[in-house]
Structures are given as structure tokens and as C-alpha cells.
Amino acid sequence: PYGSLEKHTGASLSTLGSRMAAGAPDDESGRGSVYVLESGAGRTWNQVAKLVPEGGASSGQFGWSVALGEGWLVVGAPLYDSSLQDEGSAELFKRESSGNWAWISTISSPSPMADGKFGYALSVFGDTIAVGAPGEDGGGRCHLFRWDGSQIQFVATLSRDGINLDAKFGCAVSIYGGGLVVGAEYEEANNTKQGTAHVFQKIGDIWAHQQVLNLPDVDSFACFGHSVSAGIDAIAVGAPGARGSDGAV
């Protein structure tokens, strides 16, 4: 599914088992699309669906972010305009018994803002969806939802008091089990905008802030937290602006 020139296929990726989703946020004359592929014999990957914006996200870089669940898929469109410019949205699709993928619902921010960019980052684990909105409230937010197979339920909004206005908290999110990591690539740390990553843990029904990760010896604008990945007993944090823009993890 390479598409034609300037579709930016592969701008986002998500895999689960034998399935892959690849975002192409500039496909369809800027509306965006997502290709769904499944692995076949001989280690080949076959396209089984092409998803285009339906419901809310008729534009707005649909496919900027993608996250696969077990038989369902969430697609971010962070520049979607509803009542506010670039407030963003996330679109939920479900795989039907026929093998077709059907649009189910638009997930919207519980506190939308102009330039909020809700849907900029996505992560799914089990029935929980984490959605980054790095432009909301100036410094950024992360919203959590639950998909019970029939409806979307809002769970919580995570943010950080006192964070600088352009911190981009929510530019990257990764959820694993009862843990969540949220990147804030321009948050001020050690007197510079080097970036941070925040660790949250689910305790009962509450997502509690546990720790701020940063490095004392990275450059200003290292973009630490630009990308994050959480696993069983480890967290990886990308800093593409570190070491003279050579980057580091």
C-alpha cells in the first residue's frame, strides 16, 4: 500500500499479532487514510482494508496516529476541526465477522480546545485507550477511555500542574498493563527545555503520578519524551534532539 506521491504512508504504525495498521495522513487529498494488513504465508503482508475518515474526522490528518486492539482500531486525526480549529479527534473502527472494518464512533476530548490536537498520540492495552492532546490547556493533556465492546467510556484526564505552556505533555503515550508513560518533549527540566517523560500507575480506579523521568546531561531541546514505549519491566524514551541532534534513547 505505497500509495502515490506525498501520502506519507507509514507515518504511524501499530501491530498486534498477525495484523498491522499503517497511517497515511496526507492521503485522499489531505483527508488521510489507514491501511490494514495481515500476514500471510511466506512472511508476506497482504492489504485487507483501507480506512478513510467517516463520522467526525472528514479531514485533519486522519492516520497521524494508530493503535490496534483485539479486533478494533483507533485512528487519530489531531488537526480535525469540529467547533474549534485543530481540536482533533480519534476514530474507532471494529472488525466485523465478515472481515470488513466498520467505523463505530468518534472519540472526542472531554475538554476540547482550539489547537488542542487531541489524537496526536495513541496507545491501547486491553480495553483501555490513551489519547494524547499536547496542545490542550497550553502544556498538554492525556485522556483515558475504556472500550467495552459496545461503547466508549471516559475514564480520566491526566495533566501536570505548573508545566510550561509549550511542554507538549501528551506528544507520546504508551500504556502497558497498569502503567502509563506520557512524553512531554518540551517540558522544562534542569533549567532547559530538554523534555521529560511522566510515569503513571493505576491504583484501584485512580491513575496516580509516580515519577518524572529526565536526564541531567542532555541538551536543551533534546526532545526527551518525543517517543515513549512501556513494557513489562522497562521504559524506553526517545530524545531525537540530544547530542547535537544525533539523538539518543
Side-chain angles (χ1 to χ4, degrees):
Y2 298 111
S4 61
L5 193 63
E6 298 182 352
K7 292 187 178 184
H8 296 122
T9 304
S12 59
L13 292 171
S14 180
T15 61
L16 183 64
S18 61
R19 190 167 291 137
M20 178 193 305
D26 293 309
D27 195 7
E28 298 289 329
S29 301
R31 296 172 67 221
S33 71
V34 172
Y35 295 92
V36 181
L37 302 95
E38 295 180 354
S39 61
R43 299 183 179 179
T44 61
W45 287 86
N46 304 308
Q47 181 181 324
V48 296
K50 179 181 178 179
L51 309 179
V52 294
E54 298 186 47
S58 59
S59 61
Q61 294 222 301
F62 174 91
W64 177 271
S65 56
V66 292
L68 275 165
E70 192 63 56
W72 50 285
L73 169 67
V74 186
V75 181
L79 300 186
Y80 169 63
D81 301 340
S82 179
S83 58
L84 299 168
Q85 183 177 2
D86 294 348
E87 67 178 81
S89 77
E91 306 298 319
L92 175 65
F93 293 81
K94 184 178 180 181
R95 188 179 186 273
E96 299 178 322
S97 58
S98 64
N100 294 327
W101 286 80
W103 175 80
I104 301 297
S105 178
T106 294
I107 306 172
S108 300
S109 172
S111 50
M113 297 182 65
D115 298 317
K117 297 180 175 61
F118 177 89
Y120 189 93
L122 294 171
S123 183
V124 164
F125 187 88
D127 60 2
T128 304
I129 305 167
V131 185
E136 285 188 359
D137 199 32
R141 294 175 177 145
C142 175
H143 302 282
L144 298 173
F145 301 85
R146 179 176 176 267
W147 164 243
D148 66 5
S150 61
Q151 62 181 350
I152 292 289
Q153 300 172 342
F154 170 69
V155 174
T157 293
L158 307 178
S159 60
R160 296 299 299 153
D161 293 337
I163 201 169
N164 50 293
L165 290 180
D166 55 350
K168 290 188 69 177
F169 178 91
C171 68
V173 295
S174 181
I175 187 168
Y176 190 93
L180 169 69
V181 183
V182 181
E185 64 178 338
Y186 293 144
E187 183 175 3
E188 294 176 356
N190 303 310
N191 298 315
T192 67
K193 289 185 178 179
Q194 64 175 233
T196 66
H198 295 259
V199 181
F200 295 82
Q201 183 177 0
K202 188 178 182 183
I203 303 174
D205 293 330
I206 304 298
W207 285 87
H209 188 266
Q210 298 293 303
Q211 188 176 1
V212 180
L213 304 179
N214 59 63
L215 294 176
D217 59 348
V218 300
D219 309 333
S220 182
F221 295 103
C223 298
F224 183 85
H226 175 83
S227 55
V228 296
S229 182
I232 296 175
D233 57 3
I235 295 170
V237 181
R243 298 178 181 175
S245 295
D246 282 345
V249 177

